[in-house]
Amino acid sequence: MQVLSVLIQHSKTSLDRSFSYLYDGPCKVKPGCRVVVDFHHQLIMGYVDAVSETTLSREEFSRLNGFETHYIASLVDQEPLLNPELEQLCAEVADYYLAPKISVLQAMLPPSLKPSVSSLHGPKIAYEDWVEILDEDEEGLTDKQKEALRLVAANKTCLKKEAGTPAIVSALFRKGKIRIFKKEKARFIIPEYEKEKKPRELTLAQMKATKTILQSVKNVILLQGVTGSGKTEVYLKLSEEYLSQGKNILMLVPEISLTPIMVEYFSRRFEGNVAILHSELTPAEKYDEYRRIARGEARVVVGARSAVFAPLENIGLIILDEEHVESYKQDGLPYYHAREVAIMRAAHFGAKVVLGSATPSFETKARAMRGVYDYAELSERINRRPLPNTHIIDLRNRAIMMPNDRVFSKTLIEAIKKRLDAKEQVILLLNRRGYSSYVTCADCGHILTCPNCHANLTYHREDELLKCHHCGYVETYPETCPECGSAKIMRVGFGTERIVKVLQEYLPSARIGRLDGDVGKVRKKVASTLAEFRNQEYDILVGTQMIAKGHDFPNVTLVGLVLADIGLSLPSFRATESTFELITQAVGRSGRGEKVGDALIQSYNPFHYAVTLGAKQDYERFYAREMQQRKLTKFPPYYFLVALHFSSKDEQRCIRVAVEIKESLEARFGEEILCLGPVVPYYAIVGDRHKRCLLIKTKTPTKVKPFLGSLVRAVSGKGGIDIECDVDPLDY
Ligand code: ADP
Ligand code: ZN
Ligand code: ZN
């Protein structure tokens, strides 16, 4: 009989320990397989972490252990879900992120292979009937049968339904002319792209950067290149190099909207070997792609965050394009960052990691400056195309705005008109974050927020009240700004839809496309809207930051940032950095073709250094300035952070446990840590659970984390309290 140590995921709490179950059956259960077990009278899926043998009976085993031990209900997999490398990675990720191993497995595996009950109803492998030629002799066949046989013979094998009618095919089968067999049907098919005739010549700068990366003795290299400097071409050249050495490539992009174009680049250059993995595939498609990669049929995998766990073997190169983008970090257990996981995986294979960006994250930049990572640079745009001319528009000045309009300045509308007349294209960008109908002061830019959770308050027309959607806080609409006393309090309630509507009134003949989170839910719509814009079927594309990054539209000569600095008011140590990035990336979309581009930045904080330096694309100055701030305020990259999220139905208990943890940490580490809190987070109450947070800052994470991990494991999941660790949080 086998004793299985089983990890389980329970809906409410993150139980990070295993439970013993028994198995006495015909197979041998291997570690890494899923099993269904009865846990507190509920059938749930578990993951076998370890296996041992016993000669005892169930009764004897139970008595010896002091508790009733049960048999598993059923065995789901015959073979382990993960190969040994990924199994090891799982442990490493769990360890670094202080996360339950089961939560890491959930993040690593496609829906149908996840250790959760719902996966039992997940997609199965789809099959199709095929035929294969056995005997080409046409003796004794009807004309129709001869015709079908010739068709099959010409192709050796073909789909059964394409060979002929069922009657004809079965007649040929009976006469021993053909064989019928089942073959797996791929539900996801990457479009066929015409292969590139001859790859472009690299520029001198691209060659130099490629050489630096190939010759580097370090595992990780930052490729910092201004927007439009041709980073993609460097990725392709590096990939070619590693593919020719027989190694495989993992290409990560930050947003799903960037996958189609990246897949196209790779497919045009490297025939037939590209697989896609990202969250927008259907579970069935993902299942097929996942298994195709695991079978070794793909040499290049392109995808967003979770593709970092692709079961690709023999990896030689992992590329993170736009490595600074926040979506690389999962906002929920296990709170992993694809960059850190990529570095862990690369170490296993002796592979290289290339981190590409025009505005590297501060963590990456600091490591490159200290020589932990190597550094390659593309300091100019391709063909020395100039950076766009930028102009900052002060939104506080009502005189320059369109009549009765708080969104469009006259300058912006004039500039758009000029571009349309010249048959050039325009991108208009809205910042999605902090974005609904909020209330702000037109004079000082102050945004009204909830005193409990700092969320922007939302205006409700029905009762003229300001409400917090997170904690239910309500206040009356103020007469004057609580910050500066001005009476110019206004509601900003426009989404991309409103922008399009208003814009269409100013410019009746303009063809306007729209791309934002709503449209983005429909995968095909994203790709088609972008393709239509590229083909110049739209004059203007209005969107959220999903169009700010990475895209290359040569005919775009004007980019307008409608409200550049809304992000500055967010309560996060990275608010300034994100605002700078957004502006730089947005400005970088303009003037990438033959013609010089313009960028117009509408802002309520026109003299803030994130705005002025973003407009100039002056990363280095911004970095130097913001780093001083980080040092002063003790934030990354000077300090490592761990955020602890406590939740419980009992608010008092939640607070008490948080305080206890804080006290144990302070008793143990003294000056070595700074522990802030407990505070009430942004989402103060979720469902019926109260939340509290602690923030731990330290310079010695390798010392603090193991202790913290065991502390959390000892408390979490007991007495109705749940604790999640967010290691290296992005927002705080
Ligand atoms: P980045 O990702 O650095 O912003 P891209 O990779 O999108 O820049 O390249 C910018 C533009 O330069 C694209 O239009 C691309 O086709 C073009 N380009 C890149 N490399 C070359 C090259 N070696 N010769 C000519 N054009 C190039
Ligand atoms: Zn609130
Ligand atoms: Zn004010």
Side-chain angles (χ1 to χ4, degrees):
M1 189 168 69
Q2 289 182 298
V3 183
L4 315 180
S5 121
V6 177
L7 298 172
I8 59 169
Q9 171 122 332
H10 204 251
S11 55
K12 280 281 179 291
T13 59
S14 36
L15 298 169
D16 194 17
R17 61 200 122 98
S18 53
F19 295 82
S20 291
Y21 285 88
L22 300 171
Y23 175 76
D24 197 6
C27 319
K28 281 271 169 267
V29 179
K30 297 177 186 168
C33 294
R34 291 170 298 170
V35 290
V36 176
V37 297
D38 184 326
F39 185 74
H40 294 309
H41 311 294
Q42 202 186 342
L43 281 184
I44 61 175
M45 180 91 80
Y47 178 86
V48 180
D49 199 34
V51 178
S52 61
E53 289 282 343
T54 178
T55 50
L56 302 174
S57 71
R58 190 178 79 90
E59 288 68 29
E60 288 165 339
F61 187 88
S62 297
R63 204 172 322 121
L64 205 71
N65 276 273
F67 56 85
E68 177 88 6
T69 313
H70 297 280
Y71 290 114
I72 60 167
S74 63
L75 175 61
V76 180
D77 306 299
Q78 308 296 321
E79 290 301 317
L81 290 172
L82 299 175
N83 66 32
E85 184 251 329
L86 289 171
E87 182 69 45
Q88 189 199 322
L89 182 71
C90 175
E92 215 176 321
V93 171
D95 195 44
Y96 181 90
Y97 286 102
L98 305 177
K101 202 173 160 193
I102 192 90
S103 76
V104 181
L105 288 163
Q106 305 285 11
M108 291 177 89
L109 291 158
S112 49
L113 295 176
K114 280 187 202 306
S116 65
V117 174
S118 60
S119 69
L120 282 179
H121 315 291
K124 304 283 178 282
I125 300 170
Y127 291 99
E128 280 175 316
D129 286 332
W130 284 66
V131 296
E132 185 183 7
I133 188 79
L134 289 180
D135 175 11
E136 292 189 34
D137 186 4
E138 295 177 3
E139 182 81 41
L141 298 183
T142 68
D143 283 351
K144 288 237 167 88
Q145 290 169 353
K146 280 182 194 162
E147 194 185 320
L149 190 67
R150 274 178 225 146
L151 184 82
V152 180
N155 294 299
K156 295 275 182 286
T157 67
C158 72
L159 274 171
K160 177 171 168 255
K161 61 174 183 255
E162 282 166 9
T165 64
I168 293 175
V169 173
S170 59
L172 289 175
F173 172 69
R174 278 196 311 275
K175 290 179 180 169
K177 302 288 175 195
I178 58 170
R179 177 174 86 87
I180 301 176
F181 64 101
K182 285 195 185 298
K183 195 166 142 182
E184 184 175 343
K185 174 183 174 183
R187 276 159 290 197
F188 181 69
I189 302 188
I190 295 182
E192 297 230 354
Y193 295 103
E194 206 176 308
K195 195 143 184 276
E196 227 171 23
K197 282 170 203 78
K198 190 166 150 280
R200 248 201 293 257
E201 297 272 322
L202 291 190
T203 64
L204 221 58
Q206 285 169 327
M207 260 188 304
K208 227 178 110 205
T210 309
K211 210 167 138 198
T212 306
I213 294 168
L214 290 174
Q215 290 178 348
S216 170
V217 291
K218 306 230 161 91
N219 304 329
V220 186
I221 301 107
L222 165 61
L223 173 62
Q224 188 177 350
V226 296
T227 53
S229 59
K231 290 187 285 294
T232 317
E233 206 61 45
V234 174
Y235 301 154
L236 289 167
K237 185 72 196 170
L238 291 170
S239 301
E240 191 183 319
E241 206 57 49
Y242 282 94
L243 285 169
S244 75
Q245 292 172 24
K247 303 271 178 65
N248 298 330
I249 315 291
L250 199 50
M251 174 78 227
L252 303 181
V253 293
E255 297 252 1
I256 46 146
S257 69
L258 288 164
T259 31
I261 187 75
M262 200 54 91
V263 167
E264 185 175 338
Y265 286 139
F266 274 85
S267 309
R268 281 193 196 289
R269 191 149 311 173
F270 314 111
E271 224 160 333
N273 306 324
V274 182
I276 300 182
L277 266 192
H278 62 60
S279 56
E280 298 290 294
L281 300 186
T282 67
E285 291 172 338
K286 226 185 276 181
Y287 183 52
D288 289 353
E289 283 291 270
Y290 191 88
R291 288 175 30 267
R292 189 161 81 88
I293 298 165
R295 286 196 303 267
E297 289 172 21
R299 300 284 314 274
V300 178
V301 175
V302 179
R305 181 179 63 229
S306 64
V308 76
F309 295 116
L312 191 65
E313 291 179 33
N314 195 21
I315 296 173
L317 176 68
I318 307 179
I319 301 166
L320 266 85
D321 189 27
E322 313 283 349
E323 67 88 32
H324 62 277
V325 175
E326 291 173 358
S327 54
Y328 278 124
K329 166 111 174 153
Q330 177 156 307
D331 187 21
L333 276 177
Y335 293 99
Y336 74 94
H337 196 298
R339 185 202 305 131
E340 297 311 315
V341 178
I343 293 169
M344 291 175 195
R345 277 198 93 174
H348 180 273
F349 289 103
K352 278 216 166 82
V353 178
V354 172
L355 306 174
S357 178
T359 52
S361 66
F362 277 33
E363 291 80 356
T364 299
K365 180 70 177 179
R367 284 180 192 158
M369 303 274 264
R370 278 192 290 127
V372 181
Y373 300 164
D374 235 327
Y375 183 72
E377 191 181 25
L378 293 171
S379 57
E380 278 182 353
R381 282 189 155 187
I382 288 290
N383 300 332
R384 306 210 165 185
R385 269 169 214 148
L387 286 168
N389 302 312
T390 52
H391 183 56
I392 300 171
I393 297 166
D394 187 348
L395 282 175
R396 295 170 307 179
N397 181 359
R398 297 280 292 125
I400 62 166
M401 302 302 284
M402 295 296 279
N404 298 318
D405 188 333
R406 296 176 193 278
V407 174
F408 286 105
S409 60
K410 290 174 190 160
T411 325
L412 182 54
I413 294 295
E414 281 312 310
I416 296 173
K417 271 194 190 135
K418 226 174 81 192
R419 299 302 163 169
L420 298 192
D421 290 343
K423 299 266 175 284
E424 292 163 11
Q425 287 175 294
V426 177
I427 289 178
L428 279 191
L429 255 152
L430 276 82
N431 192 337
R432 174 179 53 201
R433 298 201 61 189
Y435 205 27
S436 55
S437 57
Y438 58 92
V439 179
T440 179
C441 169
D443 279 325
C444 75
H446 174 70
I447 291 170
L448 295 173
T449 55
C450 171
N452 300 329
C453 47
H454 304 292
N456 290 343
L457 293 173
T458 308
Y459 173 70
H460 285 246
R461 192 189 305 257
E462 320 84 71
D463 42 15
E464 296 252 310
L465 289 174
L466 296 176
K467 294 181 184 173
C468 171
H469 283 182
H470 304 301
C471 72
Y473 172 85
V474 175
E475 68 176 45
T476 52
Y477 194 79
E479 309 255 296
T480 56
C481 170
E483 206 54 29
C484 75
S486 156
K488 288 186 192 155
I489 291 286
M490 63 180 196
R491 300 186 293 270
V492 188
F494 50 90
T496 49
E497 251 168 290
R498 266 287 304 286
I499 293 272
V500 169
K501 193 164 157 277
V502 174
L503 200 58
Q504 197 77 72
E505 282 165 22
Y506 293 135
L507 308 160
S509 63
R511 297 165 304 163
I512 307 173
R514 184 172 75 91
L515 204 56
D516 62 16
D518 298 339
V519 183
K521 289 209 183 75
V522 191
R523 164 165 48 107
K524 300 213 167 67
K525 182 79 183 153
V526 175
S528 68
T529 304
L530 290 170
E532 283 155 18
F533 187 60
R534 198 179 303 279
N535 295 336
Q536 305 187 20
E537 290 166 39
Y538 294 121
D539 306 307
I540 305 171
L541 184 61
V542 176
T544 52
Q545 57 257 63
M546 76 193 285
I547 58 172
K549 291 157 200 146
H551 294 291
D552 187 43
F553 302 106
N555 197 42
V556 170
T557 54
L558 174 67
V559 169
L561 254 166
V562 175
L563 190 53
D565 48 14
I566 183 74
L568 280 177
S569 65
L570 291 171
S572 161
F573 72 94
R574 292 177 65 263
T576 315
E577 182 184 344
S578 315
T579 303
F580 171 83
E581 270 164 20
L582 174 71
I583 295 173
T584 309
Q585 293 291 341
V587 169
R589 291 315 108 208
S590 184
R592 294 165 72 92
E594 300 298 319
K595 302 158 207 144
V596 183
D598 282 330
L600 293 180
I601 301 163
Q602 301 196 131
S603 168
Y604 282 107
N605 296 279
F607 303 111
H608 192 288
Y609 64 99
V611 178
T612 54
L613 294 174
K616 288 199 197 111
Q617 307 235 312
D618 193 344
Y619 178 85
E620 302 302 328
R621 285 259 298 282
F622 177 76
Y623 175 76
R625 164 119 197 222
E626 183 65 10
M627 279 292 268
Q628 292 176 348
Q629 191 69 21
R630 298 285 178 89
K631 192 170 181 180
L632 220 65
T633 51
K634 298 197 164 73
F635 271 111
Y638 289 98
Y639 278 73
F640 289 88
L641 305 183
V642 181
L644 296 184
H645 301 290
F646 299 82
S647 80
S648 171
K649 283 183 188 170
D650 178 348
E651 186 172 13
Q652 288 313 310
R653 190 171 157 71
C654 195
I655 298 169
R656 204 168 56 241
V657 172
V659 170
E660 278 166 18
I661 296 248
K662 176 177 174 155
E663 284 169 357
S664 334
L665 283 169
E666 282 173 342
R668 169 74 189 252
F669 294 107
E671 303 275 277
E672 258 181 298
I673 60 156
L674 273 164
C675 190
L676 311 177
V679 296
V680 183
Y682 195 90
Y683 299 102
I685 303 173
V686 174
D688 57 353
R689 296 180 79 85
H690 294 265
K691 305 244 162 180
R692 285 296 184 277
C693 289
L694 280 184
L695 183 67
I696 297 146
K697 297 178 171 185
T698 180
K699 279 186 173 294
T700 51
T702 45
K703 253 172 95 179
V704 176
K705 273 166 55 183
F707 179 78
L708 178 60
S710 47
L711 204 57
V712 167
R713 265 195 302 280
V715 180
S716 186
K718 295 192 185 131
I721 191 102
D722 187 35
I723 311 174
E724 291 183 1
C725 298
D726 182 355
V727 173
D728 308 331
L730 288 186
D731 276 322
Y732 214 90

